Amino acid sequence: MDLSGYSLAKISALLQKGEVTSVEVTNACLEEINKASCLNAFCWVDHDWSIEQAKQADKHLTNGSNYPLCGVPLGIKDLFCLNGVPTQAASKILEDFRPEYESTVTHKLKSQGAVFLGKTNMDEFAMGSSTEHTVYGPTINPWRKKNCAKQLTPGGSSGGSAAAVAAGLCTGALGTDTGGSIRQPASFTGIVGIKPTYGRCSRWGIVAFASSLDQAGPFARSVEDAALLLEGISGYDPKDSTSYPGEVPQFSQFLRKGVKGKTIGIPKEYRLDGMPEIIETVWQKGAKLLQDEGAQIVEISLPHTQYALPAYYIIAPAEASSNLARYDGVRYGRRAKLKSDSDIIDMYKMTRSEGFGPEVKRRVLIGTYVLSQGFYEAYYRRAQKVRTLIKQDFERVFSEGIDAILTPTTPGTAFGIGEFMNADPIQMYLNDVFTVTVNLAGLPGISVPAQLDDNGLPLGLQLIGQPWQEGELLSIAATLEGQLNFKATPEKWWKKAK
Ligand code: GLN
């Protein structure tokens, strides 16, 4: 069975009707994963483990389970703790770590009968935009330029999940988004990715990067599939003090509402100098399509946008340096081999020096610096103030009647493996220019595939919604998706590549 043409909703319907079994669908996915090993999208797979889950799901289906995710095979980013399963956050420092607990969101999925195919590749501790900073080696984007065999990155940090969904290796996948790690890879791989409102999904059991920004969210091949997955992972969790206690609406019921009477803002500050023309063209096309469907399009101003990237690259490393202090060779994962005269300080130093990769070290150093006495006021405190101003920009436009904001997801299409890794790290950070604002303000944001550029690479459009209004956001995204009518899938070159 070739799954790449089937949406999650379709597979779910077939499972519910008993026309396919979860074991069949899971086997088909495992076969696709096996054939696509050169993409390096999955970093851990265990055939028997997945099939056992599928058998259980088939029992639940026979007994009348009507959870839409029952029996549906998914990929899980290596940042989520799965009980008894290797969880490494793509880092050497977590080698051999098998948590004895389960993240809340994966527990929710399990209790609905979803089947896990394995762990997906990512940038170490979710720091990166290319899935190249990883102990498993880079993930390769299933998309390539027309007539060109050069390998491209799928974006990051959730690049394994994005590549897996785009290549048809699974029906959906989980990622996390701290500054764009769901939306940017979704854009680079021609799929849908949504970052929910901060607090919508529990962070408990997810390896922390920057706790005030981190959110879990789904990757899917359609807005409807993303809505179904989001429903499955949302909800209050007493184990996460920032978890939202409100009811979770049935997001999939919003999708056919249309955009008549909605007001969509186009922020003028997102029009950057030197941005490729195609980005502007696609952005205008998206606005026009929404207008044709009855939305009102208005230009808006979010004046503090220009400070978002610098503020993010202070706040995120600051929180990371604190969160990553726990990896000391004592409690988790790997401990460096010690000399006979090593003391405990040597052990910390050697373990951390050997265990963290260069990008993580860079963030820990920056974070420690901006939090240190004498610099705290100048950097961290100031960045927090900027964060408040950015949040207020959004609050103002929403209070003036804007329902959602339309922007490009990324300032370009997928780049080559090694292209930015070997350049100045700032070049890599610039990828996040349109996505970090959303995390700083705690808002929901979704990337919808829009069109292929002249080279045949996908580009996404981002919609930013009001807090807790994922339903509205998904309904606008569904209208946009319908009008954009993006149907392209990557040519399956990897099947011949063996
Ligand atoms: N690319 C951003 C960073 O490296 C965002 C990462 C993320 O969202 N996890 O910090």
Side-chain angles (χ1 to χ4, degrees), residues 77 126-129 156-157 176-181 209 312-313 363 432:
K77 187 177 183 180
M127 298 174 192
S129 308
S157 64
T176 61
D177 190 314
T178 303
S181 280
F209 165 11
Y312 171 84
Y313 275 98
R363 306 274 180 124
D432 309 325

Side-chain angles (χ1 to χ4, degrees), residues 204-384:
W204 197 84
I206 304 174
V207 175
F209 165 11
S211 308
S212 77
L213 302 159
D214 298 342
Q215 264 297 286
F219 286 98
R221 289 192 289 268
S222 71
V223 172
E224 182 185 17
D225 291 358
L228 289 168
L229 284 164
L230 185 59
E231 253 166 54
I233 58 172
S234 295
Y236 177 64
D237 178 11
K239 290 192 282 203
D240 172 357
S241 62
T242 59
S243 162
Y244 178 62
E247 277 291 299
V248 179
Q250 254 199 310
F251 298 125
S252 51
Q253 299 301 311
F254 283 75
L255 303 181
R256 270 162 272 285
K257 280 182 61 185
V259 294
K260 263 197 197 81
K262 299 276 176 213
T263 309
I264 310 293
I266 307 290
K268 60 173 193 237
E269 291 80 4
Y270 283 57
R271 195 159 281 121
L272 301 180
D273 286 344
M275 195 163 80
E277 215 181 291
I278 179 81
I279 306 281
E280 176 69 35
T281 313
V282 170
W283 191 9
Q284 279 177 18
K285 174 173 147 187
K288 167 90 176 43
L289 291 173
L290 288 172
Q291 192 172 29
D292 292 347
E293 287 301 292
Q296 194 193 347
I297 306 293
V298 294
E299 185 177 90
I300 57 168
S301 174
L302 300 167
H304 297 93
T305 301
Q306 58 174 315
Y307 306 115
L309 207 53
Y312 171 84
Y313 275 98
I314 291 173
I315 294 168
E319 294 186 19
S321 72
S322 157
N323 273 326
L324 270 56
R326 75 190 71 179
Y327 305 108
D328 53 9
V330 179
R331 286 166 292 180
Y332 307 90
R334 191 172 190 281
R335 175 180 297 178
K337 281 210 171 50
L338 306 177
K339 298 196 199 84
S340 55
D341 60 346
S342 306
D343 61 15
I344 190 160
I345 302 294
D346 296 330
M347 196 254 311
Y348 294 158
K349 277 191 196 159
M350 284 163 67
T351 300
R352 290 169 67 81
S353 306
E354 285 177 25
F356 290 139
E359 183 60 27
V360 173
K361 281 183 188 150
R362 177 158 35 232
R363 306 274 180 124
V364 169
L365 289 174
I366 294 172
T368 311
Y369 178 79
V370 299
L371 289 175
S372 60
Q373 207 184 9
F375 296 103
Y376 182 91
E377 295 291 327
Y379 291 102
Y380 186 70
R381 172 97 68 202
R382 192 172 290 180
Q384 290 290 25

Side-chain angles (χ1 to χ4, degrees), residues 8 73-77 120 160-162 164-165 170-175 217-220 229:
L8 184 152
L74 303 173
I76 309 290
K77 187 177 183 180
T120 57
S161 288
V165 172
C170 51
T171 42
L174 282 193
F219 286 98
L229 284 164

Side-chain angles (χ1 to χ4, degrees), residues 62-94:
T62 322
N63 294 336
S65 164
N66 54 7
Y67 285 118
L69 300 178
C70 190
V72 169
L74 303 173
I76 309 290
K77 187 177 183 180
D78 195 30
L79 206 60
F80 291 84
C81 289
L82 302 186
N83 195 347
V85 168
T87 299
Q88 252 188 272
S91 182
K92 193 168 162 189
I93 210 161
L94 280 175

Side-chain angles (χ1 to χ4, degrees), residues 11-12 14-27 50-66 69-73 110 112-115:
I11 287 178
S12 169
L14 292 175
L15 286 164
Q16 296 285 335
K17 282 189 271 178
E19 288 178 23
V20 288
T21 65
S22 178
V23 169
E24 282 168 338
V25 183
T26 303
N27 257 322
S50 298
I51 294 299
E52 192 43 50
Q53 297 171 56
K55 283 184 183 159
Q56 291 301 326
D58 282 330
K59 271 192 206 144
H60 295 313
L61 285 162
T62 322
N63 294 336
S65 164
N66 54 7
L69 300 178
C70 190
V72 169
K110 264 189 179 170
Q112 295 158 48
V115 173

Side-chain angles (χ1 to χ4, degrees), residues 447-458:
S447 180
V448 179
Q451 83 171 52
L452 299 181
D453 74 351
D454 293 342
N455 289 317
L457 295 180

